[in-house]
Amino acid sequence: MKVIIKHTNDDVAKAACKLLMEKHISSTSKNFVLSLATGSSAVEMYQKLIKQNTSGNFDFSDVYTFNLDEYVGLSAEHHQSFRYFMNMKLFNHVNIPEANINFLNGMATDISSECDRYEERIAELGGIDVQILGIGSNGHIGFNEPETPFESRTHQITLTQQTKNDNQRFFADDESVPDKALTMGIQSIMDSKSIILIATGKKKAKAVADMIQGEVTTKCPASILQTHNDVHIICDQEAAAALTTSAD
Ligand code: F6R
């Protein structure tokens, strides 16, 4: 694991964007396959990617995307769906062909086929080149909550109360966070060639320390990343506060 600690959110986003662009340029894959996270952590990096796309430095025309997860029961048009979030934060502002965007369907009636379809599509495109991750305050990656088996593939999960509380900020007061979501599994994430995890803010400090310095255990799903051979953790000082290393 390479741990990069930056002073500000902006520095974190810059470092993540730069690394992703380097991976894109040096990729030897036929299709460049990028898997993305929703939530706050990656938003500033998406803003930087949009700028790079607008200025002609990052071409999305050959990029295929997947996203880690989607709420069950929310359609792509629903304003709280992760698909809607990605349209607003990235897809609507870059030259990615619509057909290259892959997403889990939160309205699928046959959950098991939907999960299989997603895994098959990833495999058809040659696997994920770069996986962008955030981390939950409970150590989840994707929506793989504590105790999810490390060998899991795309599946339906029930969100913990902690995750629902953490994500309530994206919903109106009279709306509640759905109980269930579809998520790529931990093994689906670990199969990625390269992983960039972004963590900012003091709420992430314990999870970040457990991930990097704790034992590898399903109690902290992100701890499995210690066993991957190409992982960059890019975090700000607040998220790194429980570690012993210092900022660059
Ligand atoms: C989102 C996802 C989650 C988030 C995590 C952190 O697609 O898979 O694992 O990355 O919950 O969320 P934020 O960035 O909002 O703190």
Side-chain angles (χ1 to χ4, degrees):
M1 266 179 167
K2 293 196 182 71
V3 182
I4 300 167
I5 303 168
K6 296 289 184 186
H7 288 280
T8 65
N9 266 1
D10 191 58
D11 295 335
V12 168
K14 258 189 219 149
C17 179
K18 183 166 175 278
L19 183 58
L20 175 56
M21 287 177 67
E22 283 164 8
K23 299 265 180 206
H24 182 219
I25 289 165
S26 63
S27 172
T28 52
S29 303
K30 188 164 155 267
N31 310 302
F32 186 72
V33 182
L34 180 56
S35 178
L36 300 167
T38 52
S40 317
S41 307
V43 167
E44 287 194 43
M45 185 194 77
Y46 295 152
Q47 287 166 0
K48 300 211 178 293
L49 281 175
I50 292 168
K51 278 199 185 137
Q52 293 294 340
N53 182 246
T54 310
S55 56
N57 297 325
F58 192 119
D59 181 12
F60 274 82
S61 62
D62 69 340
V63 175
Y64 287 78
T65 64
F66 287 84
N67 260 80
L68 282 164
D69 35 24
E70 180 59 282
Y71 289 120
V72 168
L74 301 194
S75 70
E77 295 74 34
H78 192 288
H79 285 204
Q80 312 301 350
S81 73
F82 284 165
R83 176 58 202 259
Y84 186 85
F85 179 99
M86 290 305 303
N87 286 345
M88 294 297 133
K89 302 295 183 192
L90 182 66
F91 299 148
N92 288 354
H93 311 287
V94 295
N95 69 329
I96 185 164
E98 173 73 23
N100 289 14
I101 300 171
N102 295 279
F103 232 92
L104 282 158
N105 176 8
M107 300 300 282
T109 45
D110 184 340
I111 298 287
S112 162
S113 310
E114 175 59 9
C115 295
D116 290 349
R117 176 194 70 80
Y118 211 60
E119 290 282 336
E120 281 158 19
R121 186 68 185 136
I122 293 171
E124 263 169 28
L125 288 170
I128 292 165
D129 290 293
V130 178
Q131 172 69 61
I132 304 296
L133 293 177
I135 183 170
S137 59
N138 62 1
H140 73 211
I141 45 174
F143 268 150
N144 295 289
E145 300 284 36
E147 308 302 349
T148 304
F150 285 149
E151 62 277 13
S152 56
R153 295 209 161 266
T154 303
H155 62 294
Q156 176 173 265
I157 49 91
T158 301
L159 296 170
T160 61
Q161 194 55 48
Q162 186 175 349
T163 296
K164 289 180 70 176
N165 294 346
D166 286 348
N167 286 4
Q168 185 63 48
R169 69 191 193 282
F170 295 113
F171 288 74
D173 289 347
D174 59 348
E175 285 178 328
S176 36
V177 181
D179 292 320
K180 293 188 187 303
L182 302 182
T183 181
M184 281 167 56
I186 296 179
Q187 190 59 54
S188 329
I189 293 170
M190 289 295 285
D191 285 348
S192 311
K193 293 173 195 113
S194 171
I195 297 176
I196 302 172
L197 184 145
I198 300 169
T200 56
K202 57 176 183 281
K203 274 180 75 178
K204 303 294 173 68
K206 182 177 185 312
V208 166
D210 288 348
M211 162 175 67
I212 297 170
Q213 294 173 336
E215 71 171 298
V216 176
T217 164
T218 53
K219 290 188 178 65
C220 176
S223 63
I224 190 67
L225 300 177
Q226 290 177 30
T227 68
H228 193 283
N229 64 9
D230 185 358
V231 179
H232 286 79
I233 312 287
I234 308 180
C235 50
D236 69 357
Q237 287 185 309
E238 287 190 339
L243 296 170
T244 48
T245 36
S246 58
D248 303 347

